[in-house]
Structure formats: C-alpha cells, structure tokens
Amino acid sequence: MIRISIDAMGGDHGPSVVIPALMTVATRRPDIRFVIYGREEAVRPELAKLPKLAEVSEFIHCDIAVRMDDKPSQALRHGRWKSSMWKAVEAVKAGTADACISAGNTGALMAMSRFCLRTMATIDRPAIAALWPTLRGESVVLDVGATIGADAHQLVDFAILGTGMARSVFGIERPSIGLLNVGVEEIKGQEEVKEAGRMLREANMASMNYHGFVEGDDIGKGTVDVVVTEGFAGNIALKTAEGTVRQIAGYLRAAMDRTLMARIGYIFAKGAFDRLREKMDVGRSNGGVFLGLNGIVVKSHGGADSDGFAAAIELGYDMVRNNLLDRIEADLDLFHARNPHAQTSRKSDVVADAEE
C-alpha cells in the first residue's frame, strides 16, 4: 500500500477540489490509502458526498489552516504542531505516510517541510522540481523557486536530485542533464555555472548523461531530460511559460470568434484544437516536488482543479512506488565518494530561513 497524507485545507478551493481528486485517484490506484488533515466542518460535508472514499481514507481534524497569504514565519509560529499542513508533513516524518500533498502556501509548505523533515545529509538547500511539457514529451526542470542564487556545488546537487526524479517518473536509467545558461559555449555564463559544468563532466556518473549547457528555448524543445538552474531564473522561466500559454490561448479564442467563417473553421478543426488544449493544459503537469528532503512532499498549484490536484497525487505516488529517495541517496553517496574534497556550503539555519 502507498499511503499519502493530504492537506485538505490548502489552495484556492480547499476540500471542494481536494476530496473529489482523492476519489479520482483511488479509482485508478487500488493500492493507495489517504490520511486527510483539515477542519471537520469543511471536510466532512465533502466526504459525505463520496462514501466509497471512507473505505480507503482516514480523516483527522485540525484546528488551524495555513492561509495562502501567511508569511512562512507566521505559518511556523502559529501552525507548527497543529495545522493541517504541518500534520500532513509530520505524517511523512513519523512514517505513517509515504508522501505529502498540499496545494497550500508555497513558502509556508517549504518552511514546514525543511523544519520537520530536514534536508538530506549532503544537501545544503532543497529545490522545487517541476514537470515541463516539451515537444518530445516532458522534462524535469529545477529549481523553480526554492533557492535564489546557487553556487556550483548546489547546482551539482540539483542535477543529482533531478536525475533521481527523472529516473523515477520517466523510467529512464541514464537521463540527459543540461545546465541552463546564456549560451551553449563553455566560455559563456556565470562562473558558478561553468564550474558546475566542469564538476559534472569530471564526475562522469553512471546514472546521468551530462549534455552540457542549454539555452531557454531548449526547455520547450525537450533537448534534455533534466534542466538545472537556480531558483530565480527557474521561477521566471516557469511563470513566463505559464503566461505564454494563456496568451496563446487568448489569441486563439479571439481569432475563432472574429468571423462566421472562423467559427465554422473551428468546428471542422475541433479535434486538432482539443489535442492542442490538452498539450497546453498546465494542470496535466501539476505538482512541484520538494527535492533534497528526508521525505517526499509535492506542492500542487493553488488554483488547480480536481484533475490537477489528482495529477499531483499521482506524481507523489509514482515517486514512492519507484523509490525516489533511495535512488537520490545512492547517487549522492556515489558522487561524494568520488569527490571527497568537494566543498559544500554551510547549511543555513532553517528557522532563520523561515524568518526571511
């Protein structure tokens, strides 16, 4: 059985979206069980609509729900030990759940996850990894917002984390890895990126195929299986891509509504437009994974619908089923065994980070 802890109070819609998503996943995955955390007055009415869900789930009442606009420090101060978000993360630490899923406040979820689960022994800072639709299928892109600025050693750590995720989710034994840069030439880019490239080439790890530098347009092309960058550039790339999808969708709607002939043409081309809409649907790739922690935590988009939240749950399910943490730990151990003198940055205090 795969046990998933759920923060039912997170996101823009809360239990009205979360609970139906659980039923969707339970129908597809008969070996899954849920532990649901939330306010009884909000969750119970939704559970009552889906009596079959009670057979595969347990509900635990929590007095506090972290608000979407809470600062990480506020969330830790008021929600530690007793909020639905904290309880869902803590279940992973206690071993009563294999993964945690929440659509709540990203900063608060990261702060609680770091405070509760801690980072892996050789990891300085965690990363948020996203599945990115490409012309070839999907790629893993990280970091998309957890760490603003990263040195060469942290970028190498991100490459190892992303490799583990690609192997677990895509079933690729030796994923290709690219460092996001302003050009593909070795002389271009910041010193941290060039140094990380040198370290990855020299490591020559059996679990990854280091491709070299990639540029922004290579992300959508699917040039590599894993794109590695620091959180500032990664988050801008992610938000730009999401905005571009909405922009193109707006252009298409305006064009189809412009004339009668355009509307008739849409009817004949509806199948093609439906396939395009499915390919561009952000919800199909919903779920940012917190990598580098001693546990699996998946952040769903706050505005995700029921299908989107179900996609985030299934992402967590796949990573548990395919032993993500074991793969990452093995790769980290191998890298540091081959590079005993690699200097890692001093770990920063979790509470200090939360206050920021």
Side-chain angles (χ1 to χ4, degrees):
M1 290 295 172
I2 303 294
R3 303 158 299 171
I4 308 291
S5 61
I6 303 293
D7 170 21
M9 305 306 296
D12 299 337
H13 311 290
S16 64
V17 160
V18 171
I19 301 305
L22 305 188
M23 192 68 252
T24 299
V25 176
T27 302
R28 298 173 186 163
R29 311 282 189 179
D31 60 340
I32 200 167
R33 296 293 182 269
F34 301 109
V35 183
I36 307 167
Y37 297 91
R39 287 178 172 165
E40 188 164 15
E41 65 274 16
V43 177
R44 285 292 186 191
E46 298 298 329
L47 286 173
K49 299 175 186 177
L50 299 166
K52 288 187 177 181
L53 186 58
E55 300 173 8
V56 295
S57 65
E58 174 187 3
F59 172 67
I60 298 175
H61 170 72
C62 300
D63 292 323
I64 294 177
V66 174
R67 297 191 302 267
M68 295 298 284
D69 59 351
D70 280 348
K71 292 181 179 180
S73 56
Q74 293 174 322
L76 270 177
R77 193 157 43 242
H78 302 299
R80 195 181 354 169
W81 317 122
K82 49 193 174 183
S83 67
S84 58
M85 181 182 286
W86 176 275
K87 289 290 188 182
V89 174
E90 190 177 43
V92 177
K93 179 181 180 180
T96 56
D98 300 302
C100 165
I101 318 293
S102 174
N105 181 320
T106 303
L109 183 62
M110 176 58 80
M112 288 188 177
S113 298
R114 288 195 68 186
F115 196 98
C116 187
L117 298 175
R118 306 290 180 175
T119 54
M120 292 177 169
T122 57
I123 295 294
D124 181 21
R125 288 176 174 268
I128 301 177
L131 291 180
W132 199 292
T134 71
L135 294 177
R136 296 175 54 200
E138 286 183 319
S139 295
V140 174
V141 179
L142 76 166
D143 175 25
V144 294
T147 299
I148 305 303
D151 61 27
H153 298 281
Q154 289 167 345
L155 290 173
V156 170
D157 285 343
F158 293 170
I160 295 172
L161 297 174
T163 296
M165 180 170 169
R167 293 171 68 197
S168 296
V169 176
F170 302 149
I172 304 172
E173 280 306 309
R174 200 163 185 257
S176 55
I177 311 296
L179 288 171
L180 188 63
N181 201 357
V182 295
V184 297
E185 298 86 357
E186 296 296 329
I187 62 172
K188 288 188 175 180
Q190 296 177 316
E191 289 302 318
E192 295 86 355
V193 177
K194 291 190 285 187
E195 175 65 10
R198 182 193 64 79
M199 293 171 66
L200 287 171
R201 280 195 305 274
E202 293 179 356
N204 192 28
M205 296 181 64
S207 62
M208 72 169 70
N209 174 25
Y210 177 59
H211 172 87
F213 296 152
V214 294
E215 296 182 275
D217 61 340
D218 287 310
I219 303 177
K221 291 177 184 177
T223 302
V224 293
D225 300 310
V226 180
V227 177
V228 177
T229 185
E230 53 83 34
F232 186 82
N235 190 264
I236 289 176
L238 177 65
K239 297 297 174 60
T240 301
E242 291 177 347
T244 302
V245 167
R246 287 190 288 268
Q247 182 181 4
I248 293 173
Y251 285 161
L252 287 174
R253 282 193 297 269
M256 292 300 100
D257 290 338
R258 184 164 296 174
T259 65
L260 176 61
M261 290 301 297
R263 288 193 288 271
I264 293 173
Y266 169 77
I267 294 173
F268 285 104
K270 187 175 183 301
F273 281 113
D274 286 344
R275 288 191 292 274
L276 177 63
R277 184 182 299 111
E278 180 181 348
K279 188 69 176 177
M280 295 173 64
D281 183 7
V282 177
R284 293 181 66 250
S285 300
N286 182 44
V289 185
F290 293 0
L291 295 178
L293 301 172
N294 292 302
I296 296 174
V297 178
V298 180
K299 167 67 174 73
S300 168
H301 196 290
D305 60 13
S306 182
D307 289 338
F309 195 85
I313 297 172
E314 294 196 309
L315 178 59
Y317 171 95
D318 287 340
M319 290 187 295
V320 173
R321 175 61 66 200
N322 293 302
N323 302 309
L324 171 69
L325 297 182
D326 290 341
R327 290 174 183 268
I328 289 175
E329 288 175 353
D331 287 345
L332 286 171
D333 289 344
L334 178 61
F335 174 79
H336 288 288
R338 291 182 175 181
N339 300 270
H341 302 299
Q343 295 179 352
T344 56
S345 301
R346 181 178 60 86
K347 288 190 176 183
S348 55
D349 183 79
V350 176
V351 178
D353 281 350
E355 290 295 338
E356 293 174 6

